[in-house]
Amino acid sequence: MTSKITTKVKILNAAEALFANSGFAETSMREITAKAGVNLASVNYHFGSKKDLIKAVVDRYLERFVPLLLEKIETLEKCNKNYSVSELFECFKSPLLALNSINKDGSVFFLKLIGRGYVDFQGHLRRFITEKYGESLQVIQQCFHKTMPQLTPSEVFWRLHFTIGTSVFTLAASEALIDISRSDFDLEMTPEKIVDQLLPYLAAGFAS
Amino acid sequence: MTSKITTKVKILNAAEALFANSGFAETSMREITAKAGVNLASVNYHFGSKKDLIKAVVDRYLERFVPLLLEKIETLEKCNKNYSVSELFECFKSPLLALNSINKDGSVFFLKLIGRGYVDFQGHLRRFITEKYGESLQVIQQCFHKTMPQLTPSEVFWRLHFTIGTSVFTLAASEALIDISRSDFDLEMTPEKIVDQLLPYLAAGFAS
DNA sequence: TTTTGTTTAAAACGAACGTTTTATAAAAAA
DNA sequence: TTTTTTATAAAACGTTCGTTTTAAACAAAA
């Protein structure tokens, strides 16, 4: 028997696409439930409020992503005591791609949502993330510090967030940028091709 | 006689701060007019609509910034035929700081607004900018290409937008990041200090 | 089968939104 | 001064928002 798609999951799938592409405030409950093909009231019934729905949408990805990433980093540390920045960057790749099993375009959605979480929605989402995943994030940060021990922890922090910023902004604005690229260079870009150009840029910046 | 602050300017000043820090959709007309100390209807009277107000807020900065930047680049081209990437980056500094004469924190507001313009507000703002400043932006792009002629125009385009992305995201999320930096490292950061760390990062990435 | 709890459906709620209208005041032009 | 334009003020407009209520359908347990 093929597992039934529950109302909850229908809502999550519809909401994440709209949130990622249009933003939290710009997306209404009615748009979400219409796209999901469910009743308007079901969001409040299953999630409580729009605020909690936003958290649930992001958390579905984080719950998958963070453990996979920590796992990858752990095996890297075991195999190779003196790993490099780019090896550490590599650890992000497969956990990110794993998100596409939750949803086609899941990895793109995830990065877009993270980007929105920083700038939209006041601090709600960020506070939720740091509460639930703060320890894991600090572990990751320390791993980056190991690759560049000459930096202060604060410098590592800022370079990491420059990196995150470049990634999530590029993805968040990817539709606009792909548009421009098509009209200016007659070049059809995809998120994958963008990432290929992005990675060396990021590595060079972080190791600067 | 001290020049009178018109209602129009009061609205622009109030709106830009709210737009930059909270976003376009999240900021209501009533918040704007309350902060400006003017009547609710005056926004529609002077600007037509909220959409047009958003354009006016951003354009006040662009009208100052773009000519100053083009001027700086022009003199660089005259003085030095073979200028470098970092020399070109330098050209952005003083035009950016000149925005602080429009408004204390003007340069930070400007970058935050550009960042929001990419991801919020569908494509309205971006379309407006490319219509009015598209030619200037292409000139700038060609100058960057001169510093790295081995790249294709498309590659220049993407690296430039990675750079923009890093900048505007960092500024847009600067409050959140400054918060974290304070609690994690007991370090009080300012936008200026952030920019000092950001510039070498950007230069390394672009020239990668 | 009856009962109980869970999920969906439809309708309505009050609040907040951008905008418009109407009226009044101030300034400029005649 | 009178007339005409320009600007501000107050109130109301119709919509849309997130949420709640009420009722019906469905499932599980007794």
Side-chain angles (χ1 to χ4, degrees), chain B residues 4 7 30 38-42 45-46:
Chain B
K4 178 176 171 279
T7 300
R30 283 164 178 84
V38 302
N39 188 272
L40 169 62
S42 59
Y45 177 78
H46 285 286

Side-chain angles (χ1 to χ4, degrees), chain B residues 30 71 78 85 89 95 127 184 190 195:
Chain B
R30 283 164 178 84
E71 205 177 287
K78 275 180 189 154
V85 188
F89 269 121
R127 240 171 291 130
D184 280 15
T190 62
V195 171

Side-chain angles (χ1 to χ4, degrees), chain B residues 156-169:
Chain B
V156 173
F157 166 83
W158 282 100
R159 292 198 191 187
L160 264 180
H161 277 88
F162 296 158
T163 306
I164 295 173
T166 317
S167 312
V168 302
F169 176 89

Side-chain angles (χ1 to χ4, degrees), chain A residues 51 53 59 108 115 120 126 133 145 150 161 181 195 206:
Chain A
K51 227 192 276 201
L53 173 61
D59 203 32
V108 175
D120 287 5
R126 180 176 59 86
Y133 299 98
H145 198 185
Q150 71 276 20
H161 278 87
S181 177
V195 171
F206 188 85

Side-chain angles (χ1 to χ4, degrees), chain A residues 135-146:
Chain A
E135 288 181 35
S136 303
L137 297 181
Q138 285 200 334
V139 169
I140 296 166
Q141 200 166 307
Q142 282 159 8
C143 291
F144 274 99
H145 198 185
K146 280 186 200 164

Side-chain angles (χ1 to χ4, degrees), chain A residues 144-164:
Chain A
F144 274 99
H145 198 185
K146 280 186 200 164
T147 69
M148 303 209 76
Q150 71 276 20
L151 300 180
T152 68
S154 167
E155 285 172 326
V156 173
F157 167 83
W158 283 100
R159 292 198 190 184
L160 264 180
H161 278 87
F162 297 158
T163 306
I164 295 173

